[in-house]
């Protein structure tokens, strides 16, 4: 497997350990976040499609079938339009699974443990284990030493990884990095085992926690490997980093406990799913025999989508290492193009190392935000450049943004926000930092 060169970046990697900030994960209640009103989408009840009972003579008239066909046709048209203006969320929409349409007539369910068949015969375990073995090779762990499964989403992979950590260390303390800061904590005064979530690409800014520095700090603080558990959340970039030269390596050759990635993001599966791998020695405490299934189960959901493994198996076979390598290179190249065009237009923008997430000032027009489906937080928004995001689509977005922005700030009383606190003063183009 070969990797591509990361495009040049200028970041100061020399950060003192004392500067790292660790936070407990907290849920914010209410309608405000950091003092800013959260703008919610419209109530779907205003546009929902009512379910109506068939008329007695529908079987003969065919009116209900014709009605449903027209609804689906309009829905497909809407999906096509929305896909053309999709930039803010990390989903690869460049895929073609037409060959798998023949399988949609079957209720495929991978109940329970992927490695042990159950009495339910309509399953896809042979595809699932093939996919898991591929990721085991990617993350350098022997078949006999790992356990994993294909999840229903990336979040489930994180939940399972942290759950395993909790079972390994019932009295452990969970740590996670704040935003894009490297995930290192002041552990010298901690006496309990540590369960650590390491981000391989944060949600909003695409920052990558320094796994090696986390491990180094743990060891220097007196934590032996039997007193900490590390889960690596690689939802998006976990499958991009292996194909970038000089990128930090996520591997079970290091003392990590589990890794998870999403299957519907960079890989382009049309349904939410993910992959979760952990060490076999950790899973026994979660696993139990289920007589009803004639199998074992250590998963969270029990019933699992049996179609997802087939889609993942199909795309892995079609693209392979070289295919993913080309797509990673394209994403990085186009992300730098977007960042440079934004900066040239006088718009504050940042692109983190190893990332295809371009962060910039939040457009003040919520209709524009919704049209391009931008993900926003506070005064910043982002575009996640996926393989389906072309230069042409980025140009359309940029041209419209620049045109709209010129009208937003016609009045000198209204100025673009300063987002130096979010992206650094060197990336901010506000009146103060320009």
């Amino acid at each position: 497997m070969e990797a591509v060169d990361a495009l040049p970046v200028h970041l100061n990697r020399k950060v003192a350990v004392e500067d790292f900030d660790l936070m407990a994960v907290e849920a914010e209640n209410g309608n405000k976040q950091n003092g800013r009103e959260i703008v919610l989408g419209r109530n779907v009840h205003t546009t929902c499609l009512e379910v109506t009972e068939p008329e007695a003579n529908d079987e003969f008239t065919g009116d209900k079938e014709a009605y449903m066909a027209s609804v689906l046709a309009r829905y497909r048209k809407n999906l096509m339009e929305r896909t053309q203006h999709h930039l803010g969320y990390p989903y690869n929409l460049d895929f073609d699974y037409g060959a798998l349409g023949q399988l949609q007539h079957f209720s495929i369910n991978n109940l329970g443990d992927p490695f042990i068949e159950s009495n339910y015969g309509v399953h896809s375990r042979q595809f699932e284990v093939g996919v898991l073995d591929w990721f085991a090779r990617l993350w350098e762990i022997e078949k006999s030493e790992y356990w994993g499964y294909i999840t229903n989403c990336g979040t489930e992979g994180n939940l399972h990884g942290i759950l395993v950590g909790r079972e390994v260390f019932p009295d452990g303390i969970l740590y996670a990095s704040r935003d894009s800061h490297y995930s290192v904590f002041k552990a010298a005064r901690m006496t309990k085992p540590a369960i650590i979530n390491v981000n391989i690409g944060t949600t909003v800014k695409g920052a990558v926690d320094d796994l090696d520095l986390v491990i180094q700090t743990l060891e220097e603080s007196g934590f032996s490997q039997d007193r900490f558990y590390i889960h690596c959340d690689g939802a998006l970039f976990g499958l991009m980093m292996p194909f970038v030269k000089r990128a930090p390596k996520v591997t079970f050759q290091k003392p990590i406990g589990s890794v998870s990635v999403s299957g519907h993001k960079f890989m382009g599966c049309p349904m939410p799913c993910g992959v979760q791998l952990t060490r076999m020695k950790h899973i026994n405490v979660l696993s139990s025999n289920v007589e009803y299934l004639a199998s074992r189960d250590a998963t969270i959901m029990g019933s699992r989508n049996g179609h997802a493994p087939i889609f993942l198996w199909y795309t892995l076979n079609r693209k392979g290492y070289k295919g993913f390598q080309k797509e990673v290179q394209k994403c990085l190249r186009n992300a730098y193009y977007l960042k440079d065009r934004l900066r040239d237009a006088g718009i504050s923008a940042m692109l983190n190392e190893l990332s295809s997430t371009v962060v910039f000032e939040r457009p003040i027009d919520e209709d524009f935000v919704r049209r391009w489906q931008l993900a926003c937080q506070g005064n910043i928004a982002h575009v996640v450049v996926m393989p389906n995001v072309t230069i042409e689509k980025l140009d359309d977005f940029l041209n419209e943004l620049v045109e709209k922005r010129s009208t937003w700030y016609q009045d000198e009383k209204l100025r673009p926000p300063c987002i130096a606190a979010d992206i650094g003063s060197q990336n901010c183009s506000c009146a103060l930092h320009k």
Side-chain angles (χ1 to χ4, degrees), residues 225-243:
Q225 292 185 12
D226 61 351
R227 292 187 59 237
F228 65 82
Y229 180 98
I230 297 175
H231 172 69
C232 298
D233 174 10
L236 173 60
F237 298 113
L239 195 50
M240 297 177 70
M241 279 177 45
F243 304 99

PDB file of all heavy atoms in Angstrom, residues 225-243:
ATOM      1  N   GLN A 225       0.478   0.280  30.250  1.00  0.00           N
ATOM      2  CA  GLN A 225      -0.502  -0.003  29.206  1.00  0.00           C
ATOM      3  C   GLN A 225      -1.727  -0.755  29.709  1.00  0.00           C
ATOM      4  O   GLN A 225      -2.752  -0.777  29.038  1.00  0.00           O
ATOM      5  CB  GLN A 225       0.162  -0.778  28.062  1.00  0.00           C
ATOM      6  CG  GLN A 225       1.182   0.050  27.299  1.00  0.00           C
ATOM      7  CD  GLN A 225       1.758  -0.681  26.095  1.00  0.00           C
ATOM      8  OE1 GLN A 225       1.255  -1.728  25.688  1.00  0.00           O
ATOM      9  NE2 GLN A 225       2.821  -0.146  25.528  1.00  0.00           N
ATOM     10  N   ASP A 226      -1.627  -1.348  30.886  1.00  0.00           N
ATOM     11  CA  ASP A 226      -2.794  -2.031  31.447  1.00  0.00           C
ATOM     12  C   ASP A 226      -3.651  -1.094  32.293  1.00  0.00           C
ATOM     13  O   ASP A 226      -4.577  -1.530  32.967  1.00  0.00           O
ATOM     14  CB  ASP A 226      -2.355  -3.232  32.292  1.00  0.00           C
ATOM     15  CG  ASP A 226      -1.485  -2.839  33.471  1.00  0.00           C
ATOM     16  OD1 ASP A 226      -1.066  -1.656  33.549  1.00  0.00           O
ATOM     17  OD2 ASP A 226      -1.208  -3.703  34.321  1.00  0.00           O
ATOM     18  N   ARG A 227      -3.352   0.221  32.225  1.00  0.00           N
ATOM     19  CA  ARG A 227      -4.131   1.196  32.980  1.00  0.00           C
ATOM     20  C   ARG A 227      -4.735   2.292  32.100  1.00  0.00           C
ATOM     21  O   ARG A 227      -5.213   3.299  32.602  1.00  0.00           O
ATOM     22  CB  ARG A 227      -3.285   1.826  34.087  1.00  0.00           C
ATOM     23  CG  ARG A 227      -2.904   0.844  35.201  1.00  0.00           C
ATOM     24  CD  ARG A 227      -2.226   1.553  36.357  1.00  0.00           C
ATOM     25  NE  ARG A 227      -3.060   2.584  36.950  1.00  0.00           N
ATOM     26  CZ  ARG A 227      -2.699   3.859  37.065  1.00  0.00           C
ATOM     27  NH1 ARG A 227      -1.522   4.263  36.603  1.00  0.00           N
ATOM     28  NH2 ARG A 227      -3.508   4.731  37.631  1.00  0.00           N
ATOM     29  N   PHE A 228      -4.694   2.087  30.781  1.00  0.00           N
ATOM     30  CA  PHE A 228      -5.407   3.035  29.920  1.00  0.00           C
ATOM     31  C   PHE A 228      -5.974   2.318  28.700  1.00  0.00           C
ATOM     32  O   PHE A 228      -5.496   1.262  28.295  1.00  0.00           O
ATOM     33  CB  PHE A 228      -4.517   4.214  29.492  1.00  0.00           C
ATOM     34  CG  PHE A 228      -3.350   3.863  28.612  1.00  0.00           C
ATOM     35  CD1 PHE A 228      -3.500   3.699  27.226  1.00  0.00           C
ATOM     36  CD2 PHE A 228      -2.068   3.732  29.140  1.00  0.00           C
ATOM     37  CE1 PHE A 228      -2.423   3.404  26.413  1.00  0.00           C
ATOM     38  CE2 PHE A 228      -0.975   3.431  28.332  1.00  0.00           C
ATOM     39  CZ  PHE A 228      -1.158   3.266  26.959  1.00  0.00           C
ATOM     40  N   TYR A 229      -7.037   2.904  28.175  1.00  0.00           N
ATOM     41  CA  TYR A 229      -7.718   2.367  26.993  1.00  0.00           C
ATOM     42  C   TYR A 229      -7.966   3.534  26.047  1.00  0.00           C
ATOM     43  O   TYR A 229      -8.536   4.560  26.437  1.00  0.00           O
ATOM     44  CB  TYR A 229      -9.048   1.716  27.384  1.00  0.00           C
ATOM     45  CG  TYR A 229      -9.820   1.131  26.220  1.00  0.00           C
ATOM     46  CD1 TYR A 229      -9.755  -0.228  25.928  1.00  0.00           C
ATOM     47  CD2 TYR A 229     -10.637   1.933  25.423  1.00  0.00           C
ATOM     48  CE1 TYR A 229     -10.468  -0.766  24.864  1.00  0.00           C
ATOM     49  CE2 TYR A 229     -11.353   1.402  24.362  1.00  0.00           C
ATOM     50  CZ  TYR A 229     -11.258   0.047  24.083  1.00  0.00           C
ATOM     51  OH  TYR A 229     -11.956  -0.481  23.028  1.00  0.00           O
ATOM     52  N   ILE A 230      -7.538   3.384  24.794  1.00  0.00           N
ATOM     53  CA  ILE A 230      -7.696   4.454  23.804  1.00  0.00           C
ATOM     54  C   ILE A 230      -8.633   3.989  22.697  1.00  0.00           C
ATOM     55  O   ILE A 230      -8.415   2.953  22.075  1.00  0.00           O
ATOM     56  CB  ILE A 230      -6.338   4.858  23.187  1.00  0.00           C
ATOM     57  CG1 ILE A 230      -5.419   5.433  24.270  1.00  0.00           C
ATOM     58  CG2 ILE A 230      -6.540   5.873  22.071  1.00  0.00           C
ATOM     59  CD1 ILE A 230      -4.011   5.736  23.775  1.00  0.00           C
ATOM     60  N   HIS A 231      -9.683   4.777  22.477  1.00  0.00           N
ATOM     61  CA  HIS A 231     -10.559   4.559  21.317  1.00  0.00           C
ATOM     62  C   HIS A 231     -10.265   5.634  20.286  1.00  0.00           C
ATOM     63  O   HIS A 231     -10.235   6.831  20.614  1.00  0.00           O
ATOM     64  CB  HIS A 231     -12.029   4.620  21.705  1.00  0.00           C
ATOM     65  CG  HIS A 231     -12.941   4.599  20.512  1.00  0.00           C
ATOM     66  ND1 HIS A 231     -13.089   3.480  19.712  1.00  0.00           N
ATOM     67  CD2 HIS A 231     -13.728   5.572  19.957  1.00  0.00           C
ATOM     68  CE1 HIS A 231     -13.937   3.761  18.731  1.00  0.00           C
ATOM     69  NE2 HIS A 231     -14.337   5.019  18.859  1.00  0.00           N
ATOM     70  N   CYS A 232     -10.062   5.242  19.031  1.00  0.00           N
ATOM     71  CA  CYS A 232      -9.792   6.190  17.949  1.00  0.00           C
ATOM     72  C   CYS A 232     -11.045   6.379  17.110  1.00  0.00           C
ATOM     73  O   CYS A 232     -11.510   5.439  16.455  1.00  0.00           O
ATOM     74  CB  CYS A 232      -8.643   5.688  17.068  1.00  0.00           C
ATOM     75  SG  CYS A 232      -7.074   5.521  17.935  1.00  0.00           S
ATOM     76  N   ASP A 233     -11.587   7.587  17.129  1.00  0.00           N
ATOM     77  CA  ASP A 233     -12.775   7.916  16.343  1.00  0.00           C
ATOM     78  C   ASP A 233     -12.307   8.412  14.972  1.00  0.00           C
ATOM     79  O   ASP A 233     -11.977   9.574  14.798  1.00  0.00           O
ATOM     80  CB  ASP A 233     -13.594   8.989  17.065  1.00  0.00           C
ATOM     81  CG  ASP A 233     -14.765   9.481  16.219  1.00  0.00           C
ATOM     82  OD1 ASP A 233     -15.043   8.861  15.168  1.00  0.00           O
ATOM     83  OD2 ASP A 233     -15.391  10.483  16.614  1.00  0.00           O
ATOM     84  N   GLY A 234     -12.304   7.501  14.001  1.00  0.00           N
ATOM     85  CA  GLY A 234     -11.849   7.839  12.659  1.00  0.00           C
ATOM     86  C   GLY A 234     -12.994   7.995  11.682  1.00  0.00           C
ATOM     87  O   GLY A 234     -12.832   7.684  10.494  1.00  0.00           O
ATOM     88  N   ALA A 235     -14.140   8.489  12.155  1.00  0.00           N
ATOM     89  CA  ALA A 235     -15.378   8.515  11.372  1.00  0.00           C
ATOM     90  C   ALA A 235     -15.139   8.865   9.905  1.00  0.00           C
ATOM     91  O   ALA A 235     -15.529   8.125   9.009  1.00  0.00           O
ATOM     92  CB  ALA A 235     -16.366   9.489  11.998  1.00  0.00           C
ATOM     93  N   LEU A 236     -14.484   9.994   9.629  1.00  0.00           N
ATOM     94  CA  LEU A 236     -14.231  10.406   8.244  1.00  0.00           C
ATOM     95  C   LEU A 236     -12.786  10.184   7.843  1.00  0.00           C
ATOM     96  O   LEU A 236     -12.479   9.439   6.917  1.00  0.00           O
ATOM     97  CB  LEU A 236     -14.602  11.886   8.069  1.00  0.00           C
ATOM     98  CG  LEU A 236     -14.230  12.507   6.718  1.00  0.00           C
ATOM     99  CD1 LEU A 236     -14.914  11.772   5.579  1.00  0.00           C
ATOM    100  CD2 LEU A 236     -14.592  13.986   6.699  1.00  0.00           C
ATOM    101  N   PHE A 237     -11.844  10.813   8.560  1.00  0.00           N
ATOM    102  CA  PHE A 237     -10.450  10.823   8.118  1.00  0.00           C
ATOM    103  C   PHE A 237      -9.696   9.545   8.465  1.00  0.00           C
ATOM    104  O   PHE A 237      -8.579   9.348   8.006  1.00  0.00           O
ATOM    105  CB  PHE A 237      -9.732  12.048   8.690  1.00  0.00           C
ATOM    106  CG  PHE A 237     -10.338  13.340   8.221  1.00  0.00           C
ATOM    107  CD1 PHE A 237     -10.983  14.177   9.095  1.00  0.00           C
ATOM    108  CD2 PHE A 237     -10.288  13.690   6.880  1.00  0.00           C
ATOM    109  CE1 PHE A 237     -11.574  15.351   8.667  1.00  0.00           C
ATOM    110  CE2 PHE A 237     -10.872  14.865   6.433  1.00  0.00           C
ATOM    111  CZ  PHE A 237     -11.511  15.699   7.333  1.00  0.00           C
ATOM    112  N   GLY A 238     -10.324   8.680   9.260  1.00  0.00           N
ATOM    113  CA  GLY A 238      -9.675   7.414   9.592  1.00  0.00           C
ATOM    114  C   GLY A 238      -9.404   6.557   8.370  1.00  0.00           C
ATOM    115  O   GLY A 238      -8.503   5.718   8.384  1.00  0.00           O
ATOM    116  N   LEU A 239     -10.181   6.758   7.304  1.00  0.00           N
ATOM    117  CA  LEU A 239      -9.971   5.998   6.082  1.00  0.00           C
ATOM    118  C   LEU A 239      -9.244   6.819   5.023  1.00  0.00           C
ATOM    119  O   LEU A 239      -8.940   6.326   3.952  1.00  0.00           O
ATOM    120  CB  LEU A 239     -11.308   5.502   5.522  1.00  0.00           C
ATOM    121  CG  LEU A 239     -11.255   4.410   4.445  1.00  0.00           C
ATOM    122  CD1 LEU A 239     -10.365   3.243   4.883  1.00  0.00           C
ATOM    123  CD2 LEU A 239     -12.635   3.917   4.103  1.00  0.00           C
ATOM    124  N   MET A 240      -8.921   8.079   5.330  1.00  0.00           N
ATOM    125  CA  MET A 240      -8.170   8.919   4.396  1.00  0.00           C
ATOM    126  C   MET A 240      -6.687   8.985   4.777  1.00  0.00           C
ATOM    127  O   MET A 240      -5.816   8.955   3.919  1.00  0.00           O
ATOM    128  CB  MET A 240      -8.770  10.328   4.358  1.00  0.00           C
ATOM    129  CG  MET A 240     -10.197  10.371   3.836  1.00  0.00           C
ATOM    130  SD  MET A 240     -10.950  12.025   3.865  1.00  0.00           S
ATOM    131  CE  MET A 240     -10.005  12.859   2.575  1.00  0.00           C
ATOM    132  N   MET A 241      -6.420   9.055   6.074  1.00  0.00           N
ATOM    133  CA  MET A 241      -5.043   9.222   6.539  1.00  0.00           C
ATOM    134  C   MET A 241      -4.080   8.119   6.110  1.00  0.00           C
ATOM    135  O   MET A 241      -2.912   8.401   5.832  1.00  0.00           O
ATOM    136  CB  MET A 241      -5.012   9.374   8.063  1.00  0.00           C
ATOM    137  CG  MET A 241      -5.350  10.775   8.507  1.00  0.00           C
ATOM    138  SD  MET A 241      -5.411  10.966  10.299  1.00  0.00           S
ATOM    139  CE  MET A 241      -3.948  10.110  10.826  1.00  0.00           C
ATOM    140  N   PRO A 242      -4.512   6.846   6.040  1.00  0.00           N
ATOM    141  CA  PRO A 242      -3.554   5.808   5.630  1.00  0.00           C
ATOM    142  C   PRO A 242      -2.979   6.015   4.228  1.00  0.00           C
ATOM    143  O   PRO A 242      -1.966   5.411   3.888  1.00  0.00           O
ATOM    144  CB  PRO A 242      -4.388   4.517   5.674  1.00  0.00           C
ATOM    145  CG  PRO A 242      -5.484   4.812   6.644  1.00  0.00           C
ATOM    146  CD  PRO A 242      -5.802   6.252   6.434  1.00  0.00           C
ATOM    147  N   PHE A 243      -3.600   6.874   3.437  1.00  0.00           N
ATOM    148  CA  PHE A 243      -3.161   7.074   2.065  1.00  0.00           C
ATOM    149  C   PHE A 243      -2.458   8.409   1.880  1.00  0.00           C
ATOM    150  O   PHE A 243      -2.293   8.890   0.764  1.00  0.00           O
ATOM    151  CB  PHE A 243      -4.369   6.967   1.127  1.00  0.00           C
ATOM    152  CG  PHE A 243      -5.101   5.661   1.279  1.00  0.00           C
ATOM    153  CD1 PHE A 243      -6.248   5.581   2.047  1.00  0.00           C
ATOM    154  CD2 PHE A 243      -4.620   4.509   0.688  1.00  0.00           C
ATOM    155  CE1 PHE A 243      -6.917   4.373   2.216  1.00  0.00           C
ATOM    156  CE2 PHE A 243      -5.279   3.291   0.854  1.00  0.00           C
ATOM    157  CZ  PHE A 243      -6.423   3.234   1.612  1.00  0.00           C
TER     158      PHE A 243
END
